[in-house]
Amino acid sequence: MKKPRAELQYLHWAKKILDEGEPTDDRTGVGTIDLFGEPQMRVDLREEFPLLTSKLVAHRLVRSELAWMLRGDTNLRYLAEQDNHIWDEWPFVSYLRSEGIEVPEQGSDEWKQEKDTYLKRILTDKTFADKYGDLGPVYGHQWRAWEGYHGQPIDQLRQVQEALRTNDRSMGRRLIVSAWNVGNLEEMNKAGLPPCHTLFQFNASNKTDPTTGKKYLDMKLYQRSADWFLGVPFNMVQYAMLLSAMAHVTGRTPRYFYHTFGSAHIYKNHEEQVRAQLAREGELYEPPRLEINPRVTDISDFEADDFTIIGYKHHPAIKGQVAI
Ligand SMILES: Nc1nc(=O)c2c([nH]1)NC[C@@H]1CN(c3ccc(C(=O)N[C@@H](CCC(=O)O)C(=O)O)cc3)CN21
Ligand SMILES: O=c1ccn([C@H]2C[C@H](O)[C@@H](COP(=O)(O)O)O2)c(=O)[nH]1
């Protein structure tokens, strides 16, 4: 069996955070154990796709979230249409506050009822969605339409795609996409969050893969803040997909994905879950494979279903509440 090396790194750092992290009173009030700066993982995409097998990772949700960002979309409506609810909490709470409605306890019956009503309106009432479903200038906006010095939209992803296609040497060490737009952070914080996966850089290698005959493409991601139990398993998949997608549309073979972290933390109410996950370390499955729809030729044209995960064997899901 092929060893799930990415997963072993993920579990190694989970244990390190628990053993060596510092207890921290974080913004959400939940409290975390936090390890700063040290964690870094490297995934070799020629060998494996980094989808954890020690619990079910709902890759359907990762795929539609990535498609949402690639479209440059920042409204909850698209995610709701895809039955993806990982971003509901933030615009929902922002809506309640702006309407002067008291925020019920997270997860309570009242919370669920209010959220259902809110989501129904997001889906059926376009004017309502435009007003209360927008997360502000979050990832999709910054990737595809960062506002330039002269007010012009800058499509960072297209620029990278073009530079890779034309083999533009002047861009060689500048293949960066940043979501950390300092002047927009306040707006992002209203109904969304300042970006957690902050900046990524591609490396167009000159080395040719002997089996595909194509040159390699690598990526390094800087994640400033990482919810090790809920966020990171999604982020690993998301960026491995993004690297593979960029390689696909620029005629390259994806190789290394480096994932480096600022604050890597485990929320106190996830500790038990992480320990249960760690207990499965001896019984991991072989990692699955990713296939990309060969008909897609442009980074803007990816839909969730253009990414297919093959042979995903996993342990059962482990539930945990997201800290708002
Ligand atoms: N505290 C926190 N952690 C995060 O990981 C996170 C945020 N906030 N805010 C923005 C996004 C939203 N993300 C999320 C939010 C929820 C899940 C989550 O609950 N995942 C469940 C499955 C959920 C489902 O099936 O609907 C899981 O078990 O992975 C994952 C990522 C990642 N981000
Ligand atoms: O893709 C994501 C998005 C968010 N997170 C986590 C990291 C933190 O736990 C929270 C954000 O809170 P901040 O106070 O803004 O750091 O969300 C993640 O891991 N991955």
Side-chain angles (χ1 to χ4, degrees), residues 13-15 17-18 31-35 226-229 264-272 274:
W13 287 113
K15 193 164 180 317
I17 297 169
L18 289 177
T32 61
I33 313 168
D34 193 299
L35 188 68
D227 176 342
W228 208 261
F229 179 66
H265 47 265
I266 292 175
Y267 284 97
K268 297 231 163 96
N269 60 355
H270 292 163
E271 202 180 319
E272 211 177 291
V274 173

Side-chain angles (χ1 to χ4, degrees), residues 27 193 196-197 223-227 231 235 265 267:
R27 172 186 60 80
L193 283 172
C196 291
H197 31 110
Q223 184 162 352
R224 68 159 179 92
S225 179
D227 176 342
N235 296 135
H265 47 265
Y267 284 97

Side-chain angles (χ1 to χ4, degrees), residues 187-219:
E187 283 303 316
M188 299 190 216
N189 210 19
K190 282 185 186 157
L193 283 172
C196 291
H197 31 110
T198 314
L199 176 148
F200 53 99
Q201 178 175 7
F202 290 95
N203 174 52
S205 163
N206 244 333
K207 204 166 159 191
T208 302
D209 183 280
T211 48
T212 63
K214 295 174 179 173
K215 288 183 173 169
Y216 290 124
L217 187 67
D218 309 312
M219 177 207 268

Side-chain angles (χ1 to χ4, degrees), residues 26-28 32 65 69 86-87 90 139 180 189 192-197 223-235 238-239 261 263 265 267 322-324:
D26 84 302
R27 172 186 60 80
T28 65
T32 61
E65 188 195 20
M69 292 174 179
I86 63 172
W87 276 102
W90 293 268
Y139 303 101
W180 194 256
N189 210 19
L193 283 172
C196 291
H197 31 110
Q223 184 162 352
R224 68 159 179 92
S225 179
D227 176 342
W228 208 261
F229 179 66
L230 283 181
V232 176
F234 275 43
N235 296 135
Q238 187 177 28
Y239 277 87
F261 298 89
S263 160
H265 47 265
Y267 284 97
V322 73
I324 307 178

Side-chain angles (χ1 to χ4, degrees), residues 42-258:
R42 187 185 83 171
V43 182
D44 186 342
L45 289 165
R46 293 169 300 183
E47 294 291 326
E48 63 175 316
F49 187 75
L51 190 56
L52 302 184
T53 70
S54 50
K55 70 169 187 182
L56 165 71
V57 177
H59 58 83
R60 175 184 75 81
L61 305 177
V62 187
R63 290 185 282 114
S64 54
E65 188 195 20
L66 178 60
W68 177 62
M69 292 174 179
L70 287 176
R71 294 156 59 94
D73 199 336
T74 58
N75 199 293
L76 198 63
R77 190 180 168 98
Y78 175 84
L79 293 176
E81 282 166 356
Q82 310 279 320
D83 199 19
N84 183 338
H85 298 288
I86 63 172
W87 276 102
D88 289 356
E89 275 76 5
W90 293 268
F92 169 56
V93 170
S94 161
Y95 157 74
L96 293 177
R97 292 206 173 115
S98 70
E99 288 300 283
I101 305 169
E102 203 185 319
V103 182
E105 189 196 335
Q106 187 187 0
S108 65
D109 286 346
E110 207 191 332
W111 165 279
K112 284 182 193 150
Q113 251 169 36
E114 282 281 2
K115 192 146 94 69
D116 264 9
T117 313
Y118 166 78
L119 283 171
K120 281 210 181 86
R121 284 193 74 185
I122 290 286
L123 278 169
T124 54
D125 181 346
K126 175 92 171 37
T127 319
F128 181 84
D130 287 345
K131 189 160 176 209
Y132 295 113
D134 200 62
L135 276 77
V138 292
Y139 303 101
H141 177 78
Q142 304 301 346
W143 288 5
R144 310 307 316 252
W146 178 298
E147 193 180 322
Y149 188 54
H150 305 288
Q152 80 283 20
I154 300 172
D155 187 341
Q156 300 186 74
L157 277 180
R158 179 158 302 283
Q159 286 183 346
V160 167
Q161 176 178 274
E162 276 319 295
L164 287 170
R165 282 185 176 166
T166 56
N167 214 355
D168 179 354
R169 210 184 299 164
S170 72
M171 285 293 286
R173 296 180 297 238
R174 302 174 181 178
L175 297 166
I176 284 184
V177 176
S178 174
W180 194 256
N181 188 340
V182 179
N184 284 182
L185 294 179
E186 223 176 286
E187 283 303 316
M188 299 190 216
N189 210 19
K190 282 185 186 157
L193 283 172
C196 291
H197 31 110
T198 314
L199 176 148
F200 53 99
Q201 178 175 7
F202 290 95
N203 174 52
S205 163
N206 244 333
K207 204 166 159 191
T208 302
D209 183 280
T211 48
T212 63
K214 295 174 179 173
K215 288 183 173 169
Y216 290 124
L217 187 67
D218 309 312
M219 177 207 268
K220 180 158 178 162
L221 166 69
Y222 181 78
Q223 184 162 352
R224 68 159 179 92
S225 179
D227 176 342
W228 208 261
F229 179 66
L230 283 181
V232 176
F234 275 43
N235 296 135
M236 294 163 73
V237 173
Q238 187 177 28
Y239 277 87
M241 279 181 184
L242 180 55
L243 169 53
S244 305
M246 188 57 88
H248 175 79
V249 295
T250 58
R252 287 177 170 268
T253 294
R255 184 176 55 176
Y256 297 126
F257 163 42
Y258 297 89

